[in-house]
Amino acid sequence: MENYLESENDFFGYFENGELAGVIEANHDDSHTAINSLVVHPLFFRRGIAKTLLLFVFNKFNSDLFTVETGINNKPATELYKKLGFVEIKQWNTELGIKKVLFEKRGEN
């Protein structure tokens, strides 16, 4: 818990019926917002929560550039990012052998 409290990142939650259903973590500076994590509890899948959290971050931070990465096999995430205007920039393998993909979205400033 201390790590979260001391983090310079911003965390935003989505609540449904009083339950925390999803969380997005972002790091923002004058021109770039990096989405560091986006999670939705499995009981709340397929309800548009991830999209709502992403749209919130787009509106909250007036950035020229938004970036996010995920595992290449995470089809729901990659499809959502593409649907919201993200473009694939690169792919790579982590030290653990997980193939990742980086997406970016240019702001409308």
Side-chain angles (χ1 to χ4, degrees), residues 51-99:
K51 180 180 178 181
T52 298
L53 286 165
L54 285 164
L55 293 175
F56 174 83
V57 167
F58 296 159
N59 289 320
K60 174 83 175 163
F61 301 114
N62 191 21
S63 293
D64 296 327
L65 175 66
F66 293 88
T67 58
V68 66
E69 62 184 56
T70 190
I72 197 149
N73 291 327
N74 187 345
K75 297 297 181 201
T78 57
E79 289 174 9
L80 175 61
Y81 298 142
K82 289 177 181 178
K83 184 176 178 181
L84 292 177
F86 282 90
V87 176
E88 182 179 321
I89 299 303
K90 71 175 183 174
Q91 296 181 11
W92 73 99
N93 289 316
T94 68
E95 292 177 2
L96 299 173
I98 298 169
K99 192 159 193 161

mmCIF file of all heavy atoms in Angstrom, residues 51-99:
data_model
loop_
_atom_site.group_PDB
_atom_site.id
_atom_site.type_symbol
_atom_site.label_atom_id
_atom_site.label_comp_id
_atom_site.label_asym_id
_atom_site.label_seq_id
_atom_site.Cartn_x
_atom_site.Cartn_y
_atom_site.Cartn_z
ATOM 1 N N LYS A 51 -13.125 1.051 -21.504
ATOM 2 C CA LYS A 51 -13.315 2.165 -22.430
ATOM 3 C C LYS A 51 -13.646 3.450 -21.677
ATOM 4 O O LYS A 51 -13.097 4.512 -21.970
ATOM 5 C CB LYS A 51 -14.431 1.841 -23.429
ATOM 6 C CG LYS A 51 -14.702 2.949 -24.421
ATOM 7 C CD LYS A 51 -15.808 2.559 -25.380
ATOM 8 C CE LYS A 51 -16.109 3.697 -26.344
ATOM 9 N NZ LYS A 51 -17.194 3.337 -27.269
ATOM 10 N N THR A 52 -14.517 3.357 -20.689
ATOM 11 C CA THR A 52 -14.893 4.526 -19.900
ATOM 12 C C THR A 52 -13.680 5.109 -19.179
ATOM 13 O O THR A 52 -13.485 6.333 -19.159
ATOM 14 C CB THR A 52 -15.991 4.156 -18.886
ATOM 15 O OG1 THR A 52 -17.139 3.723 -19.618
ATOM 16 C CG2 THR A 52 -16.364 5.328 -18.011
ATOM 17 N N LEU A 53 -12.841 4.251 -18.610
ATOM 18 C CA LEU A 53 -11.644 4.721 -17.923
ATOM 19 C C LEU A 53 -10.667 5.380 -18.891
ATOM 20 O O LEU A 53 -10.077 6.423 -18.589
ATOM 21 C CB LEU A 53 -10.971 3.574 -17.170
ATOM 22 C CG LEU A 53 -11.692 3.121 -15.900
ATOM 23 C CD1 LEU A 53 -11.160 1.770 -15.428
ATOM 24 C CD2 LEU A 53 -11.556 4.164 -14.807
ATOM 25 N N LEU A 54 -10.481 4.799 -20.064
ATOM 26 C CA LEU A 54 -9.602 5.407 -21.063
ATOM 27 C C LEU A 54 -10.127 6.767 -21.514
ATOM 28 O O LEU A 54 -9.358 7.741 -21.602
ATOM 29 C CB LEU A 54 -9.442 4.474 -22.268
ATOM 30 C CG LEU A 54 -8.536 3.275 -22.048
ATOM 31 C CD1 LEU A 54 -8.760 2.231 -23.131
ATOM 32 C CD2 LEU A 54 -7.075 3.698 -21.989
ATOM 33 N N LEU A 55 -11.413 6.860 -21.798
ATOM 34 C CA LEU A 55 -11.987 8.138 -22.218
ATOM 35 C C LEU A 55 -11.853 9.189 -21.114
ATOM 36 O O LEU A 55 -11.602 10.362 -21.402
ATOM 37 C CB LEU A 55 -13.452 7.949 -22.615
ATOM 38 C CG LEU A 55 -13.683 7.115 -23.876
ATOM 39 C CD1 LEU A 55 -15.181 6.880 -24.102
ATOM 40 C CD2 LEU A 55 -13.038 7.742 -25.100
ATOM 41 N N PHE A 56 -11.981 8.768 -19.873
ATOM 42 C CA PHE A 56 -11.785 9.679 -18.755
ATOM 43 C C PHE A 56 -10.365 10.250 -18.768
ATOM 44 O O PHE A 56 -10.170 11.462 -18.625
ATOM 45 C CB PHE A 56 -12.057 8.967 -17.423
ATOM 46 C CG PHE A 56 -11.727 9.810 -16.235
ATOM 47 C CD1 PHE A 56 -12.634 10.747 -15.765
ATOM 48 C CD2 PHE A 56 -10.501 9.689 -15.592
ATOM 49 C CE1 PHE A 56 -12.321 11.556 -14.676
ATOM 50 C CE2 PHE A 56 -10.179 10.479 -14.500
ATOM 51 C CZ PHE A 56 -11.093 11.414 -14.043
ATOM 52 N N VAL A 57 -9.376 9.382 -18.953
ATOM 53 C CA VAL A 57 -7.979 9.833 -18.982
ATOM 54 C C VAL A 57 -7.730 10.757 -20.169
ATOM 55 O O VAL A 57 -7.035 11.763 -20.039
ATOM 56 C CB VAL A 57 -7.017 8.631 -18.973
ATOM 57 C CG1 VAL A 57 -5.596 9.042 -19.327
ATOM 58 C CG2 VAL A 57 -7.036 7.959 -17.609
ATOM 59 N N PHE A 58 -8.301 10.454 -21.331
ATOM 60 C CA PHE A 58 -8.150 11.343 -22.489
ATOM 61 C C PHE A 58 -8.668 12.741 -22.165
ATOM 62 O O PHE A 58 -8.079 13.739 -22.564
ATOM 63 C CB PHE A 58 -8.911 10.812 -23.711
ATOM 64 C CG PHE A 58 -8.422 9.498 -24.260
ATOM 65 C CD1 PHE A 58 -9.257 8.727 -25.045
ATOM 66 C CD2 PHE A 58 -7.157 9.017 -23.994
ATOM 67 C CE1 PHE A 58 -8.830 7.521 -25.571
ATOM 68 C CE2 PHE A 58 -6.713 7.808 -24.512
ATOM 69 C CZ PHE A 58 -7.564 7.055 -25.297
ATOM 70 N N ASN A 59 -9.790 12.807 -21.477
ATOM 71 C CA ASN A 59 -10.384 14.097 -21.141
ATOM 72 C C ASN A 59 -9.681 14.787 -19.978
ATOM 73 O O ASN A 59 -9.624 16.014 -19.925
ATOM 74 C CB ASN A 59 -11.871 13.928 -20.814
ATOM 75 C CG ASN A 59 -12.683 13.619 -22.048
ATOM 76 O OD1 ASN A 59 -12.466 14.177 -23.111
ATOM 77 N ND2 ASN A 59 -13.608 12.699 -21.913
ATOM 78 N N LYS A 60 -9.149 14.010 -19.065
ATOM 79 C CA LYS A 60 -8.488 14.557 -17.878
ATOM 80 C C LYS A 60 -7.156 15.220 -18.228
ATOM 81 O O LYS A 60 -6.807 16.269 -17.700
ATOM 82 C CB LYS A 60 -8.272 13.434 -16.859
ATOM 83 C CG LYS A 60 -7.478 13.801 -15.645
ATOM 84 C CD LYS A 60 -8.342 14.466 -14.628
ATOM 85 C CE LYS A 60 -7.549 14.713 -13.339
ATOM 86 N NZ LYS A 60 -8.199 15.687 -12.503
ATOM 87 N N PHE A 61 -6.400 14.581 -19.107
ATOM 88 C CA PHE A 61 -5.068 15.058 -19.471
ATOM 89 C C PHE A 61 -5.063 15.522 -20.922
ATOM 90 O O PHE A 61 -5.332 14.749 -21.827
ATOM 91 C CB PHE A 61 -4.028 13.961 -19.272
ATOM 92 C CG PHE A 61 -3.971 13.463 -17.858
ATOM 93 C CD1 PHE A 61 -4.336 12.169 -17.557
ATOM 94 C CD2 PHE A 61 -3.561 14.294 -16.831
ATOM 95 C CE1 PHE A 61 -4.288 11.699 -16.254
ATOM 96 C CE2 PHE A 61 -3.502 13.836 -15.516
ATOM 97 C CZ PHE A 61 -3.869 12.541 -15.232
ATOM 98 N N ASN A 62 -4.734 16.750 -21.117
ATOM 99 C CA ASN A 62 -4.711 17.349 -22.449
ATOM 100 C C ASN A 62 -3.342 17.100 -23.076
ATOM 101 O O ASN A 62 -2.530 18.002 -23.192
ATOM 102 C CB ASN A 62 -5.007 18.848 -22.324
ATOM 103 C CG ASN A 62 -5.253 19.496 -23.656
ATOM 104 O OD1 ASN A 62 -5.589 18.829 -24.618
ATOM 105 N ND2 ASN A 62 -5.075 20.789 -23.712
ATOM 106 N N SER A 63 -3.079 15.866 -23.457
ATOM 107 C CA SER A 63 -1.760 15.470 -23.940
ATOM 108 C C SER A 63 -1.680 15.442 -25.453
ATOM 109 O O SER A 63 -2.664 15.180 -26.138
ATOM 110 C CB SER A 63 -1.406 14.070 -23.411
ATOM 111 O OG SER A 63 -1.242 14.086 -22.030
ATOM 112 N N ASP A 64 -0.463 15.665 -25.928
ATOM 113 C CA ASP A 64 -0.185 15.496 -27.355
ATOM 114 C C ASP A 64 -0.041 14.022 -27.707
ATOM 115 O O ASP A 64 -0.239 13.629 -28.846
ATOM 116 C CB ASP A 64 1.104 16.225 -27.739
ATOM 117 C CG ASP A 64 1.009 17.724 -27.563
ATOM 118 O OD1 ASP A 64 -0.091 18.280 -27.766
ATOM 119 O OD2 ASP A 64 2.028 18.345 -27.217
ATOM 120 N N LEU A 65 0.347 13.212 -26.708
ATOM 121 C CA LEU A 65 0.633 11.808 -26.954
ATOM 122 C C LEU A 65 0.178 10.965 -25.762
ATOM 123 O O LEU A 65 0.471 11.286 -24.610
ATOM 124 C CB LEU A 65 2.143 11.618 -27.174
ATOM 125 C CG LEU A 65 2.655 10.195 -27.326
ATOM 126 C CD1 LEU A 65 2.117 9.570 -28.617
ATOM 127 C CD2 LEU A 65 4.181 10.184 -27.319
ATOM 128 N N PHE A 66 -0.518 9.873 -26.060
ATOM 129 C CA PHE A 66 -0.888 8.875 -25.068
ATOM 130 C C PHE A 66 -0.227 7.564 -25.488
ATOM 131 O O PHE A 66 -0.232 7.228 -26.679
ATOM 132 C CB PHE A 66 -2.405 8.656 -25.033
ATOM 133 C CG PHE A 66 -3.181 9.839 -24.544
ATOM 134 C CD1 PHE A 66 -3.602 10.822 -25.424
ATOM 135 C CD2 PHE A 66 -3.476 9.973 -23.195
ATOM 136 C CE1 PHE A 66 -4.314 11.923 -24.976
ATOM 137 C CE2 PHE A 66 -4.185 11.073 -22.736
ATOM 138 C CZ PHE A 66 -4.596 12.048 -23.624
ATOM 139 N N THR A 67 0.333 6.831 -24.538
ATOM 140 C CA THR A 67 0.929 5.530 -24.839
ATOM 141 C C THR A 67 0.391 4.486 -23.877
ATOM 142 O O THR A 67 0.021 4.790 -22.739
ATOM 143 C CB THR A 67 2.469 5.551 -24.746
ATOM 144 O OG1 THR A 67 2.856 5.962 -23.439
ATOM 145 C CG2 THR A 67 3.072 6.466 -25.798
ATOM 146 N N VAL A 68 0.373 3.248 -24.348
ATOM 147 C CA VAL A 68 -0.041 2.112 -23.528
ATOM 148 C C VAL A 68 0.603 0.870 -24.131
ATOM 149 O O VAL A 68 0.832 0.796 -25.335
ATOM 150 C CB VAL A 68 -1.586 1.987 -23.479
ATOM 151 C CG1 VAL A 68 -2.183 1.653 -24.835
ATOM 152 C CG2 VAL A 68 -2.025 0.990 -22.429
ATOM 153 N N GLU A 69 0.922 -0.099 -23.273
ATOM 154 C CA GLU A 69 1.439 -1.370 -23.762
ATOM 155 C C GLU A 69 0.682 -2.504 -23.108
ATOM 156 O O GLU A 69 0.102 -2.350 -22.035
ATOM 157 C CB GLU A 69 2.941 -1.497 -23.513
ATOM 158 C CG GLU A 69 3.343 -1.471 -22.076
ATOM 159 C CD GLU A 69 4.851 -1.502 -21.887
ATOM 160 O OE1 GLU A 69 5.546 -0.632 -22.434
ATOM 161 O OE2 GLU A 69 5.318 -2.400 -21.176
ATOM 162 N N THR A 70 0.703 -3.638 -23.791
ATOM 163 C CA THR A 70 0.007 -4.818 -23.283
ATOM 164 C C THR A 70 0.642 -6.056 -23.893
ATOM 165 O O THR A 70 1.476 -5.955 -24.808
ATOM 166 C CB THR A 70 -1.508 -4.768 -23.608
ATOM 167 O OG1 THR A 70 -2.171 -5.808 -22.887
ATOM 168 C CG2 THR A 70 -1.778 -4.898 -25.095
ATOM 169 N N GLY A 71 0.244 -7.203 -23.405
ATOM 170 C CA GLY A 71 0.678 -8.454 -24.022
ATOM 171 C C GLY A 71 0.014 -8.606 -25.378
ATOM 172 O O GLY A 71 -1.167 -8.281 -25.549
ATOM 173 N N ILE A 72 0.771 -9.075 -26.337
ATOM 174 C CA ILE A 72 0.246 -9.169 -27.705
ATOM 175 C C ILE A 72 -0.933 -10.130 -27.797
ATOM 176 O O ILE A 72 -1.791 -9.992 -28.670
ATOM 177 C CB ILE A 72 1.352 -9.547 -28.708
ATOM 178 C CG1 ILE A 72 0.883 -9.220 -30.117
ATOM 179 C CG2 ILE A 72 1.758 -10.989 -28.579
ATOM 180 C CD1 ILE A 72 1.963 -8.835 -31.048
ATOM 181 N N ASN A 73 -1.024 -11.086 -26.881
ATOM 182 C CA ASN A 73 -2.131 -12.042 -26.904
ATOM 183 C C ASN A 73 -3.358 -11.550 -26.167
ATOM 184 O O ASN A 73 -4.355 -12.271 -26.085
ATOM 185 C CB ASN A 73 -1.677 -13.390 -26.333
ATOM 186 C CG ASN A 73 -0.688 -14.080 -27.249
ATOM 187 O OD1 ASN A 73 -0.759 -13.948 -28.469
ATOM 188 N ND2 ASN A 73 0.250 -14.793 -26.665
ATOM 189 N N ASN A 74 -3.316 -10.345 -25.636
ATOM 190 C CA ASN A 74 -4.476 -9.773 -24.944
ATOM 191 C C ASN A 74 -5.376 -9.133 -25.999
ATOM 192 O O ASN A 74 -5.395 -7.920 -26.190
ATOM 193 C CB ASN A 74 -4.015 -8.758 -23.895
ATOM 194 C CG ASN A 74 -5.152 -8.255 -23.045
ATOM 195 O OD1 ASN A 74 -6.322 -8.426 -23.373
ATOM 196 N ND2 ASN A 74 -4.816 -7.607 -21.943
ATOM 197 N N LYS A 75 -6.126 -9.963 -26.682
ATOM 198 C CA LYS A 75 -6.966 -9.504 -27.805
ATOM 199 C C LYS A 75 -8.008 -8.462 -27.408
ATOM 200 O O LYS A 75 -8.180 -7.469 -28.118
ATOM 201 C CB LYS A 75 -7.642 -10.691 -28.504
ATOM 202 C CG LYS A 75 -6.669 -11.650 -29.143
ATOM 203 C CD LYS A 75 -5.859 -10.999 -30.244
ATOM 204 C CE LYS A 75 -4.915 -12.010 -30.867
ATOM 205 N NZ LYS A 75 -3.802 -11.401 -31.553
ATOM 206 N N PRO A 76 -8.725 -8.629 -26.278
ATOM 207 C CA PRO A 76 -9.697 -7.588 -25.926
ATOM 208 C C PRO A 76 -9.049 -6.212 -25.763
ATOM 209 O O PRO A 76 -9.586 -5.206 -26.214
ATOM 210 C CB PRO A 76 -10.297 -8.084 -24.608
ATOM 211 C CG PRO A 76 -10.105 -9.566 -24.634
ATOM 212 C CD PRO A 76 -8.795 -9.767 -25.345
ATOM 213 N N ALA A 77 -7.862 -6.170 -25.132
ATOM 214 C CA ALA A 77 -7.180 -4.884 -24.931
ATOM 215 C C ALA A 77 -6.704 -4.311 -26.265
ATOM 216 O O ALA A 77 -6.934 -3.130 -26.547
ATOM 217 C CB ALA A 77 -6.010 -5.046 -23.966
ATOM 218 N N THR A 78 -6.051 -5.116 -27.085
ATOM 219 C CA THR A 78 -5.524 -4.590 -28.342
ATOM 220 C C THR A 78 -6.655 -4.107 -29.251
ATOM 221 O O THR A 78 -6.530 -3.075 -29.901
ATOM 222 C CB THR A 78 -4.650 -5.629 -29.081
ATOM 223 O OG1 THR A 78 -5.399 -6.815 -29.317
ATOM 224 C CG2 THR A 78 -3.412 -5.972 -28.283
ATOM 225 N N GLU A 79 -7.762 -4.823 -29.265
ATOM 226 C CA GLU A 79 -8.906 -4.393 -30.081
ATOM 227 C C GLU A 79 -9.490 -3.077 -29.557
ATOM 228 O O GLU A 79 -9.838 -2.194 -30.348
ATOM 229 C CB GLU A 79 -9.973 -5.485 -30.112
ATOM 230 C CG GLU A 79 -9.564 -6.682 -30.934
ATOM 231 C CD GLU A 79 -10.552 -7.838 -30.871
ATOM 232 O OE1 GLU A 79 -11.665 -7.652 -30.318
ATOM 233 O OE2 GLU A 79 -10.212 -8.925 -31.364
ATOM 234 N N LEU A 80 -9.581 -2.940 -28.236
ATOM 235 C CA LEU A 80 -10.101 -1.703 -27.661
ATOM 236 C C LEU A 80 -9.179 -0.528 -27.979
ATOM 237 O O LEU A 80 -9.646 0.532 -28.399
ATOM 238 C CB LEU A 80 -10.270 -1.838 -26.147
ATOM 239 C CG LEU A 80 -10.702 -0.567 -25.415
ATOM 240 C CD1 LEU A 80 -12.062 -0.072 -25.907
ATOM 241 C CD2 LEU A 80 -10.715 -0.805 -23.911
ATOM 242 N N TYR A 81 -7.878 -0.715 -27.792
ATOM 243 C CA TYR A 81 -6.940 0.379 -28.070
ATOM 244 C C TYR A 81 -7.036 0.824 -29.527
ATOM 245 O O TYR A 81 -7.084 2.017 -29.824
ATOM 246 C CB TYR A 81 -5.509 -0.025 -27.722
ATOM 247 C CG TYR A 81 -5.306 -0.345 -26.262
ATOM 248 C CD1 TYR A 81 -4.466 -1.373 -25.865
ATOM 249 C CD2 TYR A 81 -5.976 0.354 -25.259
ATOM 250 C CE1 TYR A 81 -4.277 -1.678 -24.526
ATOM 251 C CE2 TYR A 81 -5.804 0.053 -23.919
ATOM 252 C CZ TYR A 81 -4.953 -0.957 -23.564
ATOM 253 O OH TYR A 81 -4.775 -1.259 -22.230
ATOM 254 N N LYS A 82 -7.088 -0.122 -30.441
ATOM 255 C CA LYS A 82 -7.198 0.228 -31.863
ATOM 256 C C LYS A 82 -8.517 0.948 -32.148
ATOM 257 O O LYS A 82 -8.551 1.916 -32.901
ATOM 258 C CB LYS A 82 -7.070 -1.026 -32.731
ATOM 259 C CG LYS A 82 -5.662 -1.582 -32.757
ATOM 260 C CD LYS A 82 -5.597 -2.867 -33.565
ATOM 261 C CE LYS A 82 -4.195 -3.450 -33.571
ATOM 262 N NZ LYS A 82 -4.122 -4.724 -34.302
ATOM 263 N N LYS A 83 -9.592 0.482 -31.533
ATOM 264 C CA LYS A 83 -10.906 1.099 -31.730
ATOM 265 C C LYS A 83 -10.906 2.557 -31.258
ATOM 266 O O LYS A 83 -11.602 3.399 -31.821
ATOM 267 C CB LYS A 83 -11.961 0.292 -30.962
ATOM 268 C CG LYS A 83 -13.374 0.748 -31.145
ATOM 269 C CD LYS A 83 -14.323 -0.184 -30.408
ATOM 270 C CE LYS A 83 -15.747 0.282 -30.533
ATOM 271 N NZ LYS A 83 -16.680 -0.599 -29.816
ATOM 272 N N LEU A 84 -10.107 2.849 -30.223
ATOM 273 C CA LEU A 84 -10.040 4.206 -29.675
ATOM 274 C C LEU A 84 -8.955 5.060 -30.329
ATOM 275 O O LEU A 84 -8.649 6.147 -29.850
ATOM 276 C CB LEU A 84 -9.834 4.150 -28.164
ATOM 277 C CG LEU A 84 -11.015 3.597 -27.381
ATOM 278 C CD1 LEU A 84 -10.691 3.518 -25.898
ATOM 279 C CD2 LEU A 84 -12.271 4.427 -27.610
ATOM 280 N N GLY A 85 -8.378 4.583 -31.424
ATOM 281 C CA GLY A 85 -7.449 5.402 -32.195
ATOM 282 C C GLY A 85 -5.978 5.187 -31.907
ATOM 283 O O GLY A 85 -5.131 5.903 -32.439
ATOM 284 N N PHE A 86 -5.643 4.201 -31.089
ATOM 285 C CA PHE A 86 -4.238 3.889 -30.867
ATOM 286 C C PHE A 86 -3.676 3.162 -32.083
ATOM 287 O O PHE A 86 -4.392 2.411 -32.751
ATOM 288 C CB PHE A 86 -4.062 2.992 -29.638
ATOM 289 C CG PHE A 86 -4.163 3.712 -28.322
ATOM 290 C CD1 PHE A 86 -5.389 3.851 -27.690
ATOM 291 C CD2 PHE A 86 -3.035 4.223 -27.710
ATOM 292 C CE1 PHE A 86 -5.496 4.494 -26.471
ATOM 293 C CE2 PHE A 86 -3.124 4.869 -26.487
ATOM 294 C CZ PHE A 86 -4.354 5.016 -25.865
ATOM 295 N N VAL A 87 -2.383 3.378 -32.335
ATOM 296 C CA VAL A 87 -1.684 2.749 -33.449
ATOM 297 C C VAL A 87 -0.516 1.953 -32.876
ATOM 298 O O VAL A 87 0.201 2.433 -31.991
ATOM 299 C CB VAL A 87 -1.158 3.822 -34.430
ATOM 300 C CG1 VAL A 87 -0.334 3.197 -35.541
ATOM 301 C CG2 VAL A 87 -2.318 4.633 -34.999
ATOM 302 N N GLU A 88 -0.334 0.752 -33.397
ATOM 303 C CA GLU A 88 0.779 -0.078 -32.934
ATOM 304 C C GLU A 88 2.102 0.534 -33.373
ATOM 305 O O GLU A 88 2.280 0.882 -34.543
ATOM 306 C CB GLU A 88 0.648 -1.491 -33.494
ATOM 307 C CG GLU A 88 1.734 -2.415 -33.008
ATOM 308 C CD GLU A 88 1.605 -3.826 -33.542
ATOM 309 O OE1 GLU A 88 0.469 -4.338 -33.651
ATOM 310 O OE2 GLU A 88 2.654 -4.411 -33.849
ATOM 311 N N ILE A 89 3.045 0.636 -32.428
ATOM 312 C CA ILE A 89 4.355 1.227 -32.701
ATOM 313 C C ILE A 89 5.444 0.175 -32.774
ATOM 314 O O ILE A 89 6.291 0.210 -33.656
ATOM 315 C CB ILE A 89 4.713 2.277 -31.620
ATOM 316 C CG1 ILE A 89 3.683 3.389 -31.617
ATOM 317 C CG2 ILE A 89 6.111 2.822 -31.809
ATOM 318 C CD1 ILE A 89 3.522 4.097 -32.945
ATOM 319 N N LYS A 90 5.446 -0.767 -31.824
ATOM 320 C CA LYS A 90 6.474 -1.807 -31.848
ATOM 321 C C LYS A 90 6.037 -3.009 -31.031
ATOM 322 O O LYS A 90 5.125 -2.921 -30.205
ATOM 323 C CB LYS A 90 7.813 -1.282 -31.337
ATOM 324 C CG LYS A 90 7.859 -1.008 -29.849
ATOM 325 C CD LYS A 90 9.266 -0.612 -29.405
ATOM 326 C CE LYS A 90 9.314 -0.420 -27.896
ATOM 327 N NZ LYS A 90 10.648 -0.182 -27.414
ATOM 328 N N GLN A 91 6.737 -4.117 -31.286
ATOM 329 C CA GLN A 91 6.558 -5.353 -30.533
ATOM 330 C C GLN A 91 7.926 -5.798 -30.037
ATOM 331 O O GLN A 91 8.938 -5.534 -30.683
ATOM 332 C CB GLN A 91 5.966 -6.455 -31.412
ATOM 333 C CG GLN A 91 4.585 -6.179 -31.917
ATOM 334 C CD GLN A 91 4.036 -7.320 -32.763
ATOM 335 O OE1 GLN A 91 4.599 -8.410 -32.815
ATOM 336 N NE2 GLN A 91 2.906 -7.066 -33.420
ATOM 337 N N TRP A 92 7.956 -6.482 -28.891
ATOM 338 C CA TRP A 92 9.203 -7.006 -28.359
ATOM 339 C C TRP A 92 8.903 -8.136 -27.383
ATOM 340 O O TRP A 92 7.782 -8.292 -26.932
ATOM 341 C CB TRP A 92 10.027 -5.910 -27.687
ATOM 342 C CG TRP A 92 9.484 -5.446 -26.375
ATOM 343 C CD1 TRP A 92 9.886 -5.825 -25.120
ATOM 344 C CD2 TRP A 92 8.413 -4.520 -26.163
ATOM 345 N NE1 TRP A 92 9.145 -5.192 -24.156
ATOM 346 C CE2 TRP A 92 8.229 -4.375 -24.769
ATOM 347 C CE3 TRP A 92 7.583 -3.774 -27.003
ATOM 348 C CZ2 TRP A 92 7.267 -3.543 -24.207
ATOM 349 C CZ3 TRP A 92 6.626 -2.952 -26.446
ATOM 350 C CH2 TRP A 92 6.481 -2.839 -25.068
ATOM 351 N N ASN A 93 9.937 -8.907 -27.084
ATOM 352 C CA ASN A 93 9.831 -9.978 -26.099
ATOM 353 C C ASN A 93 10.462 -9.516 -24.793
ATOM 354 O O ASN A 93 11.560 -8.958 -24.797
ATOM 355 C CB ASN A 93 10.545 -11.247 -26.579
ATOM 356 C CG ASN A 93 9.801 -11.914 -27.702
ATOM 357 O OD1 ASN A 93 8.588 -12.054 -27.657
ATOM 358 N ND2 ASN A 93 10.523 -12.317 -28.736
ATOM 359 N N THR A 94 9.786 -9.770 -23.681
ATOM 360 C CA THR A 94 10.346 -9.450 -22.377
ATOM 361 C C THR A 94 11.343 -10.537 -21.976
ATOM 362 O O THR A 94 11.441 -11.584 -22.627
ATOM 363 C CB THR A 94 9.246 -9.370 -21.308
ATOM 364 O OG1 THR A 94 8.703 -10.677 -21.108
ATOM 365 C CG2 THR A 94 8.154 -8.391 -21.701
ATOM 366 N N GLU A 95 12.059 -10.301 -20.899
ATOM 367 C CA GLU A 95 13.003 -11.293 -20.386
ATOM 368 C C GLU A 95 12.305 -12.582 -19.977
ATOM 369 O O GLU A 95 12.923 -13.637 -19.929
ATOM 370 C CB GLU A 95 13.768 -10.725 -19.195
ATOM 371 C CG GLU A 95 14.707 -9.602 -19.574
ATOM 372 C CD GLU A 95 15.403 -8.998 -18.368
ATOM 373 O OE1 GLU A 95 15.191 -9.473 -17.232
ATOM 374 O OE2 GLU A 95 16.162 -8.036 -18.582
ATOM 375 N N LEU A 96 11.011 -12.485 -19.684
ATOM 376 C CA LEU A 96 10.239 -13.673 -19.298
ATOM 377 C C LEU A 96 9.625 -14.374 -20.508
ATOM 378 O O LEU A 96 8.861 -15.328 -20.350
ATOM 379 C CB LEU A 96 9.137 -13.283 -18.313
ATOM 380 C CG LEU A 96 9.617 -12.667 -16.998
ATOM 381 C CD1 LEU A 96 8.435 -12.173 -16.173
ATOM 382 C CD2 LEU A 96 10.446 -13.660 -16.212
ATOM 383 N N GLY A 97 9.919 -13.887 -21.712
ATOM 384 C CA GLY A 97 9.410 -14.515 -22.927
ATOM 385 C C GLY A 97 8.000 -14.099 -23.302
ATOM 386 O O GLY A 97 7.374 -14.728 -24.142
ATOM 387 N N ILE A 98 7.506 -13.037 -22.693
ATOM 388 C CA ILE A 98 6.166 -12.538 -23.020
ATOM 389 C C ILE A 98 6.298 -11.522 -24.145
ATOM 390 O O ILE A 98 7.095 -10.590 -24.063
ATOM 391 C CB ILE A 98 5.506 -11.888 -21.784
ATOM 392 C CG1 ILE A 98 5.346 -12.931 -20.679
ATOM 393 C CG2 ILE A 98 4.168 -11.263 -22.166
ATOM 394 C CD1 ILE A 98 4.962 -12.349 -19.344
ATOM 395 N N LYS A 99 5.530 -11.711 -25.190
ATOM 396 C CA LYS A 99 5.551 -10.770 -26.311
ATOM 397 C C LYS A 99 4.630 -9.593 -25.979
ATOM 398 O O LYS A 99 3.468 -9.794 -25.646
ATOM 399 C CB LYS A 99 5.110 -11.448 -27.601
ATOM 400 C CG LYS A 99 5.403 -10.601 -28.823
ATOM 401 C CD LYS A 99 5.460 -11.423 -30.078
ATOM 402 C CE LYS A 99 6.062 -10.558 -31.162
ATOM 403 N NZ LYS A 99 6.572 -11.306 -32.260
#
